[in-house]
Amino acid sequence: MGDIGLTPMTLAMAREFRDDEGADALLALVLERAGDNRDAAIISRHASFPVTAEGPLKNIPFGVKDNIDCLPFATTGGTPALSEYMPLSDAPPVARLKVAGGYVPVKLNLHELAFGITSNNAAHGPVRNPFDPARVAGGSSGGNATAIARGVIPFALGTDTGGSTRIPAAFCGIAGFRPSTGRYPDGGVLTLSTTRDTIGPMAVTCADLAEIDALIVEEPSDPAPSQALRIGVLRAKAGLSAPVDIAMDEVFAKLGSAAGITLVALEVPEFDDLDARFGNTIVLYEAFGVWTRFARDMAGISLAEFADMIASPDVRGIFQALPDIAAKEAAAYARAIAHDLPDLRTAYARLFSDHALDLIAMPTVSVQPPLIGEDEMMQTDLGLRPTFPTVAANTALATLTGAPSLAVPAGMDRDGLPVSLMIEAMPGQDRFLLLLGQRIERILAG
């Protein structure tokens, strides 16, 4: 399998093409690139040109992950179990972008039912990394990242439970944003965790993410942040991949030498192994309730019957185990909600206060993309490690603190694979984070 070709399309490029060549020509380009689906990024296409609203996205196409409701498409979750599930309306963020003039010609592949970080989907094929097709694109929003990286669409909406907008963004060299939990309106999503889930946009640049966010959430613009910034740096997971570590050393050196930026080295044991300590319990317990009700109310079947129709063995096994897990973890879940989450959020706020921080920063992912097939275990410089917790070690934090988190493209490692810097602010400081993301992106590109 050869390289499909990387020609990312920013919003500015999409608008220029629309204005020079026409909106019909832009749709034709999207459909042509979507038709070359050797990377399995695309689940379905809609070739008819829609009537679009007047607005800043007039006649601009975007993609939607196939666990988000978007008419006229089915919402399949990438699973045969939902191949004919038709939503009644668009998810609210999709609707707001359509009101701004955008339209959706493609639904995008994902880790089945968004329950994983490789996007190795047994029903639709593994989403392949655009820089090395033997490697995964990341997940669960893998189709989004690959489609954006090769210029099928300028941006896409994904979802993020444990890192699913930011991990594939990191592996595919684009920008991915997880907003503060609750920032975007609820509804119209095949949910895993009511505590941790959110829709989040993915795009070529942080500037494009800022524009998309402003179209989804109307609020006054923040004043330009001070030139003087204090950024706390977390590097607890170094040592797993020499190419990534070397590249990230260069990223932090470049950032630390930029005018007005002070880096503060941090060690925060409270942030280690969050999923193993209580994050997984929250997701699995809540997923049991959500999907038991969904199977009954939407499909008229039991959770066990629904699980048997899931194609990917890893996801099918999780769903089959959910009843036993929920029964065993009920007390742990109650403790996580009542104590562990509030304690973590207090520690997070105290870290910012004690060190007078504007942001914290860390590698989005501390390893290169796993090879396709490394679903359970992956090779690292420290030997075999379990894939999910190794890849998602850093991205879990924001999903539990509720803070906004941004994966910023940060160049390439010595093997020609993308690396990514993740920055996070206090909950509610989304516009502030996106503004600083643009500044940092310019520094790293300079």
Side-chain angles (χ1 to χ4, degrees):
M1 179 178 293
D3 181 17
I4 291 171
L6 297 178
T7 51
M9 183 192 322
T10 64
L11 276 173
M13 293 166 65
R15 289 180 172 121
E16 182 179 9
F17 191 96
R18 175 202 63 192
D19 295 343
D20 291 347
E21 305 294 333
D24 289 336
L26 178 56
L27 174 58
L29 177 65
V30 169
L31 295 175
E32 177 186 356
R33 291 180 175 182
D36 188 347
N37 200 30
R38 287 175 288 167
D39 52 21
I42 314 298
I43 282 184
S44 56
R45 296 180 291 166
H46 186 70
S48 299
F49 195 86
V51 176
T52 59
E54 294 294 334
L57 294 180
K58 177 67 175 178
N59 291 333
I60 296 296
F62 65 99
V64 174
K65 184 180 180 180
D66 205 10
N67 64 338
I68 301 172
D69 291 347
C70 177
L71 297 172
F73 297 93
T75 303
T76 76
T79 182
L82 296 175
S83 60
E84 298 182 2
Y85 174 61
M86 287 298 302
L88 298 177
S89 61
D90 292 325
V94 174
R96 293 183 182 186
L97 294 174
K98 287 184 176 180
V99 167
Y103 70 97
V104 180
V106 289
K107 289 296 286 290
L108 300 165
N109 199 2
L110 65 155
H111 203 110
E112 193 167 355
L113 292 167
F115 232 130
I117 49 80
T118 67
S119 296
N120 188 0
N121 186 309
H124 296 282
V127 184
R128 297 181 181 275
N129 190 293
F131 292 86
D132 181 351
R135 295 179 182 270
V136 306
S140 60
S141 309
N144 290 27
T146 290
I148 293 166
R150 67 176 176 91
V152 177
I153 28 84
F155 73 93
L157 293 182
T159 59
D160 192 305
T161 305
S164 292
T165 59
R166 296 159 291 149
I167 290 167
F171 284 166
C172 295
I174 65 167
F177 180 52
R178 178 193 168 90
S180 294
T181 304
R183 176 175 177 80
Y184 291 175
D186 289 336
V189 179
L190 299 177
T191 300
L192 294 179
S193 168
T194 52
T195 297
R196 297 178 66 177
D197 279 9
T198 182
I199 285 177
M202 303 163 69
V204 181
T205 68
C206 295
D208 285 353
L209 289 179
E211 179 176 350
I212 298 157
D213 176 79
L215 293 171
I216 297 173
V217 178
E218 292 185 6
E219 63 183 19
S221 298
D222 288 338
S226 168
Q227 285 295 108
L229 292 177
R230 286 177 59 83
I231 302 175
V233 176
L234 299 166
R235 296 290 301 275
K237 301 301 179 182
L240 293 166
S241 170
V244 174
D245 289 346
I246 292 168
M248 292 308 303
D249 287 344
E250 295 172 355
V251 166
F252 284 113
K254 198 168 193 178
L255 197 58
S257 64
I261 293 180
T262 301
L263 300 184
V264 181
L266 300 174
E267 292 186 10
V268 189
E270 298 99 316
F271 294 172
D272 292 342
D273 303 319
L274 290 171
D275 273 334
R277 285 161 46 202
F278 61 89
N280 288 338
T281 294
I282 291 173
V283 172
L284 294 169
Y285 187 88
E286 292 179 348
F288 169 70
V290 166
W291 282 97
T292 297
R293 292 188 295 273
F294 185 94
R296 180 192 65 217
D297 297 344
M298 298 297 179
I301 59 177
S302 68
L303 180 63
E305 290 170 317
F306 181 86
D308 288 342
M309 292 188 284
I310 295 171
S312 302
D314 59 330
V315 181
R316 185 170 61 248
I318 292 170
F319 271 72
Q320 289 170 338
L322 284 178
D324 288 342
I325 293 172
K328 293 176 182 176
E329 295 292 320
Y333 173 76
R335 183 171 60 251
I337 297 299
H339 300 290
D340 295 330
L341 269 183
D343 289 349
L344 176 66
R345 291 168 180 176
T346 298
Y348 187 81
R350 187 172 59 245
L351 179 74
F352 275 73
S353 175
D354 289 351
H355 295 276
L357 300 176
D358 298 292
L359 304 173
I360 59 171
M362 65 201 87
T364 308
V365 184
S366 295
V367 292
Q368 295 178 323
L371 296 171
I372 291 173
E374 289 187 321
D375 298 308
E376 300 297 329
M377 303 292 290
M378 66 178 294
Q379 190 64 53
T380 75
D381 290 356
L382 300 178
L384 285 174
R385 290 288 187 272
T387 303
F388 186 97
T390 300
V391 171
N394 290 343
T395 55
L397 177 63
T399 75
L400 294 164
T401 63
S405 181
L406 178 61
V408 181
M412 312 290 279
D413 69 18
R414 67 190 184 193
D415 295 329
L417 295 171
V419 292
S420 175
L421 177 71
M422 189 166 65
I423 56 174
E424 298 178 0
M426 285 293 294
Q429 293 185 333
D430 297 69
R431 291 285 168 86
F432 174 74
L433 182 69
L434 288 164
L435 281 169
L436 292 181
Q438 295 172 68
R439 177 179 169 188
I440 290 170
E441 188 174 48
R442 290 192 295 270
I443 291 170
L444 297 182

